Amino acid sequence: MKHIVVFASGSGTNFQAIIDAVESGQIQATIRGLIANKPGIKALKRAKKNDIETRVMPPSAFNNKAAYKSELLQTLKNWQTDLIVLAGYMLKIPTSVIQQYEHRIINIHPSLLPKYGGKGFYGIKVHEAVLANNEHVTGCTVHYVTEEYDEGPIIDQIEVPVKESDTAKKLADRVLEQESTSCCQES
């Protein structure tokens, strides 16, 4: 059985979808832990409610980058991590982690990559750009993480039509529904 570790920075909606998929047997795995980069986020509450171990690891809490990377790698080793899922994680993953877990880190991104990916394209900003460019379709992408933001090989994409009545928030909500579906497909 795979051991999954989830990284999150916010509400943990996709984290909850993963929890639900594991509990229902849709994903044959166990969630070994949640790594958050800030305290007090809703994802941490979701983990606690589901008896999932957590670590809050803001890089700024460490004396230097090397100490942060070392502690992150040690935590992943201790949790016997097979797969890392970035579910709304807003920090760049250190190169040493990407190298150690090559093709075993996936990200859930709120656009049809390669459009609206890369540095600066996250959260509501993606949906604002989609609307500003009068796109007719958007969606979400699950992809492997590489050293460049949102450029890793694509695993899955789900399209979401853009409606004339959409606001960035409405569009974000509809894309998020599909993210929760796509993140829970076993591959």
Side-chain angles (χ1 to χ4, degrees), residues 97-128:
V97 175
I98 293 170
Q99 290 171 346
Q100 182 77 30
Y101 290 91
E102 186 174 11
H103 299 294
R104 295 189 294 147
I105 306 172
I106 62 174
N107 182 45
I108 306 162
H109 186 77
S111 79
L112 295 175
L113 294 174
K115 283 188 169 185
Y116 308 106
K119 192 169 177 105
F121 281 113
Y122 58 89
I124 201 74
K125 293 179 180 196
V126 170
H127 309 295
E128 291 169 347

Side-chain angles (χ1 to χ4, degrees), residues 22-41:
V22 168
E23 287 181 358
S24 74
Q26 184 179 357
I27 295 176
Q28 299 295 312
T30 58
I31 302 172
R32 294 301 300 250
L34 171 73
I35 293 180
N37 62 307
K38 48 190 171 182
I41 61 172

Side-chain angles (χ1 to χ4, degrees), residues 108-113 137-142 154-161 174-185:
I108 306 162
H109 186 77
S111 79
L112 295 175
L113 294 174
V137 68
T138 187
C140 56
T141 302
V142 177
I154 293 171
I155 299 166
D156 191 24
Q157 291 185 309
I158 297 176
E159 291 185 353
V160 174
R174 286 203 331 281
V175 170
L176 183 59
E177 286 177 32
Q178 296 306 312
E179 284 181 39
S180 296
T181 299
S182 66
C183 75
C184 297
Q185 301 299 315

Side-chain angles (χ1 to χ4, degrees), residues 6-163:
V6 177
F7 286 40
S9 295
S11 68
T13 306
N14 286 331
F15 176 44
Q16 186 64 54
I18 295 165
I19 292 168
D20 295 345
V22 168
E23 287 181 358
S24 74
Q26 184 179 357
I27 295 176
Q28 299 295 312
T30 58
I31 302 172
R32 294 301 300 250
L34 171 73
I35 293 180
N37 62 307
K38 48 190 171 182
I41 61 172
K42 191 168 181 182
L44 290 166
K45 294 175 184 154
R46 293 178 193 273
K48 184 176 181 176
K49 180 180 178 185
N50 289 279
D51 296 320
I52 296 169
E53 197 170 342
T54 63
R55 288 287 314 267
V56 178
M57 298 182 66
S60 61
F62 293 85
N63 290 333
N64 54 53
K65 288 181 182 180
Y68 166 69
K69 292 173 193 176
S70 176
E71 185 65 24
L72 187 55
L73 284 167
Q74 187 60 52
T75 299
L76 294 169
K77 181 180 177 183
N78 292 347
W79 285 344
Q80 301 172 329
T81 305
D82 295 313
L83 178 68
I84 298 169
V85 179
L86 308 183
Y89 192 66
M90 295 293 130
L91 294 181
K92 188 163 175 64
I93 302 300
T95 299
S96 57
V97 175
I98 293 170
Q99 290 171 346
Q100 182 77 30
Y101 290 91
E102 186 174 11
H103 299 294
R104 295 189 294 147
I105 306 172
I106 62 174
N107 182 45
I108 306 162
H109 186 77
S111 79
L112 295 175
L113 294 174
K115 283 188 169 185
Y116 308 106
K119 192 169 177 105
F121 281 113
Y122 58 89
I124 201 74
K125 293 179 180 196
V126 170
H127 309 295
E128 291 169 347
V130 165
L131 293 173
N133 288 315
N134 297 310
E135 299 284 356
H136 297 287
V137 68
T138 187
C140 56
T141 302
V142 177
H143 67 94
Y144 289 106
V145 172
T146 60
E147 293 179 33
E148 300 301 321
Y149 282 114
D150 301 327
E151 291 187 13
I154 293 171
I155 299 166
D156 191 24
Q157 291 185 309
I158 297 176
E159 291 185 353
V160 174
V162 178
K163 299 177 181 178

